Amino acid sequence: MATSVCSALGIDQENSVGKLIAVEEHHSSNGNFVLNCLIAEQVHKEGSVCLVALHNSFGHYHNVGTKLGYNLHQLQEKGCVESIEVLKLLNESLNAEHENRVGNVLFGDEENTMRNLFHLIKGKTEKLLQKRKLVSLVIDDLSNLLSLGISVKEVLSFLQYCRTLLESQPGLSLVVLTHIAEGDDEQQLLNAGLCHVADVIVTVCGLKTGQSSDVSGSMKVTHRRLDQPMIAHEWNKQNLYHFKLLDRQVKIFAPGTAPCLT
Amino acid sequence: MKTGLRNSSEDHVHFHDCFTDHRGWIDSQEKENIRSDVHTKGNSILSVLQTSPVTSTNDCIIIIDSLTPLIYNIGFTRCYRELHSLLVKSTNGLTVSQVICLIHEDTLPDVHVALPQLCHLATTTVKIGSHTQSSRGNPTASIIHKKQGGKILRQVEYYSIDADNRLKSEILTLVTPTVAGVNEDENQLPEDLTTFKLSLGQQEKEARSQLVLPYLRINSEKGGKVFYQPDAADDWDEEDPDDDLDI
């Protein structure tokens, strides 16, 4: 079910350890399915996942996971999946600030907020790496940090620190999702900063001409090979796909070849 | 990046790691120093150079792999001033002969203000663009170099990187699309438009040149004159209608 997405991304053919996969979600589309498929792939490979959930609660990912074939709650109990639910942290921090007690993680100085979050992530990934060799750090989604009032500079610093984890913790791979809306300069800057350092860029956007019942949107995959020379056969590789989100799976096909049309 | 540079002897190339722990977050946690103000770990270029192990005082070239994080961390004004001071004076006994910086235009905040200023400071600007029609699928680089005497050299090249990570570039020549046009005599009508005879024979051309048009009068006198031919129904009166006026 998730394999078609992963083969389109080219993840099953190459090793994603030490790499950063950036998912760019344009307005009026939902790129969440890419993250869920990547988590499915990781679970399939018997690796662990550290999920930083800013956009949805952990329950949401569990529900989607059961439809794709994995049970996140069970995996969490086993210790293969760790999660940082920022929405819950938000609640705790707000209460802590209101009652002036310790535990305010998110509403302090901007830099401290990012630092605290980073240290939380670092702790969890270290814990996971002790058990399994492959760990995937999934952040959904980075542009929600801008909504907390944190400046682009701090979020980019946070991203840079997460990238340092790729070097210091072998076996780690990073998946980051950002949302872009036209007219929002901060999101554009953040997204540009992310795409310049990513190894694989997946751009998910809606169809230009409107909504369709047969196609949910289009997905473009770009590989940036900074350390290897251009491979000749890659010139002809198709990288624009259309996808359709169904109840239990995601169908990926080349543009113009939707199942109802052929 | 280190793996990409081959045949680089360790003496000549120094790598300064400004990437890991650029704000002291990791260090400070280990020292349990979270409460107090964290001192940003000497982010400026000057402080990095001051702490660098200098083996020789020859002219050195500084390569900065991306200017954006620096601009974000210390502000554009300070960054500009430091770049300028690097070129003008020597730091820690080091004389800098050249500074090479890479800028990703779309990641700069306030790019319409910052970029022209940086281009003004630079003697050579290389702008990388995507492929055009004439570049045979290769990306292009437009180079502007300001010479000491005030002359400006402008050139556009296209480049490619081969399997050994070597750069090959050639000057871009604009390819103008050549139109294979036929010079047509505009006076001639196309004869195969219809089955009617549209062209004129010799006699017909003579008759046309001799034809006098009925209402055309050639004005041989100077000044204007109105030619009026009264019809049968016209009442032509030679008298002056203003005669009875006492002026």
Side-chain angles (χ1 to χ4, degrees):
Chain A
M1 281 163 265
T3 46
S4 57
V5 176
C6 296
S7 64
L9 293 176
I11 305 242
D12 51 349
Q13 282 164 9
E14 44 173 76
N15 195 4
S16 60
V17 169
K19 296 229 174 111
L20 166 59
I21 300 173
V23 184
E24 213 181 283
E25 179 190 75
H26 284 252
H27 199 60
S28 82
S29 69
N30 195 346
N32 226 271
F33 72 95
V34 180
L35 295 183
N36 290 313
C37 292
L38 287 170
I39 296 176
E41 180 74 17
Q42 188 72 354
V43 166
H44 182 71
K45 280 192 220 166
E46 298 199 352
S48 356
V49 176
C50 175
L51 180 62
V52 181
L54 287 130
H55 199 68
N56 298 306
S57 65
F58 187 72
H60 166 88
Y61 296 100
H62 167 77
N63 290 337
V64 179
T66 49
K67 298 201 175 157
L68 285 175
Y70 55 92
N71 189 328
L72 275 185
H73 275 136
Q74 253 183 19
L75 291 167
Q76 196 177 30
E77 279 161 26
K78 274 195 225 166
C80 304
V81 167
E82 291 284 337
S83 75
I84 298 172
E85 285 187 77
V86 180
L87 296 171
K88 283 192 181 163
L89 273 181
L90 206 66
N91 193 19
E92 287 168 11
S93 306
L94 210 53
N95 289 334
E97 171 143 349
H98 193 63
E99 293 160 18
N100 280 328
R101 50 180 171 86
V102 183
N104 182 5
V105 167
L106 293 177
F107 289 106
D109 177 38
E110 276 180 16
E111 198 190 329
N112 280 336
T113 310
M114 291 286 85
R115 200 179 31 206
N116 291 335
L117 192 58
F118 169 68
H119 284 304
L120 266 177
I121 293 174
K122 189 165 171 245
K124 300 240 169 178
T125 49
E126 275 167 3
K127 193 173 145 194
L128 283 173
L129 273 168
Q130 282 165 3
K131 291 188 188 170
R132 301 271 181 107
K133 280 189 204 164
L134 294 174
V135 178
S136 182
L137 171 60
V138 179
I139 302 180
D140 175 29
D141 86 45
L142 204 61
S143 44
N144 279 125
L145 288 171
L146 294 172
S147 309
L148 272 177
I150 301 171
S151 64
V152 183
K153 166 187 162 189
E154 303 293 338
V155 183
L156 284 173
S157 285
F158 168 72
L159 180 67
Q160 191 156 324
Y161 269 99
C162 290
R163 284 172 63 216
T164 60
L165 285 180
L166 287 174
E167 310 249 333
S168 63
Q169 295 176 357
L172 186 68
S173 62
L174 192 51
V175 183
V176 181
L177 183 136
T178 47
H179 186 89
I180 315 176
E182 267 183 42
D184 191 334
D185 296 329
E186 287 194 338
Q187 282 180 348
Q188 307 267 11
L189 276 176
L190 180 60
N191 185 57
L194 175 64
C195 288
H196 268 292
V197 296
D199 295 293
V200 180
I201 305 167
V202 183
T203 311
V204 178
C205 38
L207 295 173
K208 276 186 237 182
T209 43
Q211 310 264 14
S212 161
S213 56
D214 305 307
V215 179
S216 309
S218 75
M219 177 172 91
K220 189 170 164 192
V221 184
T222 318
H223 288 265
R224 290 177 73 235
R225 296 174 190 282
L226 299 167
D227 50 348
Q228 298 162 30
M230 290 288 256
I231 301 173
H233 70 262
E234 289 259 314
W235 283 107
N236 288 331
K237 192 174 174 199
Q238 165 73 312
N239 70 347
L240 178 66
Y241 303 94
H242 279 176
F243 63 89
K244 171 93 186 101
L245 298 173
L246 298 165
D247 195 38
R248 287 191 175 271
Q249 58 170 300
V250 180
K251 279 199 179 148
I252 302 259
F253 37 85
T257 59
C260 65
L261 295 173
T262 52
Chain B
M1 200 185 357
K2 278 189 185 170
T3 52
L5 283 171
R6 263 194 254 138
N7 302 325
S8 67
S9 57
E10 285 301 311
D11 294 336
H12 292 290
V13 183
H14 289 278
F15 283 93
H16 292 280
D17 183 16
C18 299
F19 172 74
T20 27
D21 210 11
H22 61 285
R23 299 181 73 178
W25 287 358
I26 297 178
D27 259 349
S28 68
Q29 212 222 0
E30 283 161 12
K31 291 176 195 166
E32 288 181 348
N33 202 12
I34 303 173
R35 282 270 167 194
S36 59
D37 273 345
V38 177
H39 171 61
T40 54
K41 199 181 146 205
N43 255 328
S44 65
I45 318 172
L46 295 177
S47 59
V48 166
L49 285 177
Q50 272 160 9
T51 54
S52 78
V54 178
T55 49
S56 69
T57 50
N58 287 337
D59 288 343
C60 76
I61 298 176
I62 298 180
I63 300 178
I64 302 175
D65 92 326
S66 176
L67 216 48
T68 314
L70 193 63
I71 293 177
Y72 267 119
N73 283 320
I74 63 174
F76 177 69
T77 336
R78 204 173 139 198
C79 173
Y80 188 93
R81 264 192 237 136
E82 290 195 358
L83 281 174
H84 189 251
S85 65
L86 274 179
L87 297 168
V88 165
K89 29 181 206 188
S90 68
T91 316
N92 196 23
L94 270 175
T95 41
V96 178
S97 65
Q98 208 174 60
V99 178
I100 301 173
C101 307
L102 175 63
I103 301 172
H104 295 293
E105 208 178 282
D106 49 355
T107 58
L108 271 185
D110 289 332
V111 65
H112 50 275
V113 169
L115 195 61
Q117 292 187 33
L118 287 169
C119 289
H120 178 75
L121 184 62
T123 39
T124 313
T125 315
V126 181
K127 191 163 179 175
I128 308 278
S130 57
H131 61 96
T132 60
Q133 246 186 358
S134 334
S135 71
R136 296 180 216 167
N138 294 317
T140 54
S142 20
I143 305 165
I144 299 177
H145 177 67
K146 299 175 211 162
K147 284 186 171 174
Q148 283 250 328
K151 236 180 158 185
I152 297 185
L153 274 178
R154 219 182 276 253
Q155 191 162 288
V156 181
E157 296 182 1
Y158 64 89
Y159 67 92
S160 59
I161 302 176
D162 67 2
D164 290 328
N165 267 342
R166 270 194 289 256
L167 188 71
K168 282 186 199 166
S169 70
E170 280 178 38
I171 298 175
L172 188 80
T173 45
L174 283 173
V175 174
T176 49
T178 51
V179 177
V182 176
N183 273 333
E184 282 177 5
D185 187 3
E186 284 176 1
N187 291 329
Q188 275 186 346
L189 286 168
E191 285 176 337
D192 48 356
L193 269 180
T194 68
T195 50
F196 299 108
K197 181 168 166 269
L198 292 173
S199 59
L200 293 171
Q202 195 56 35
Q203 274 182 338
E204 286 151 343
K205 279 185 187 167
E206 277 176 21
R208 187 174 69 173
S209 59
Q210 285 170 2
L211 177 68
V212 175
L213 292 170
Y215 297 103
L216 186 68
R217 282 179 170 74
I218 303 164
N219 197 2
S220 53
E221 300 168 22
K222 279 186 190 174
K225 205 176 175 188
V226 179
F227 294 102
Y228 178 65
Q229 270 188 330
D231 278 342
D234 268 336
D235 187 11
W236 183 252
D237 200 354
E238 290 282 349
E239 284 178 18
D240 188 8
D242 294 330
D243 257 350
D244 57 343
L245 287 177
D246 195 11
I247 303 167

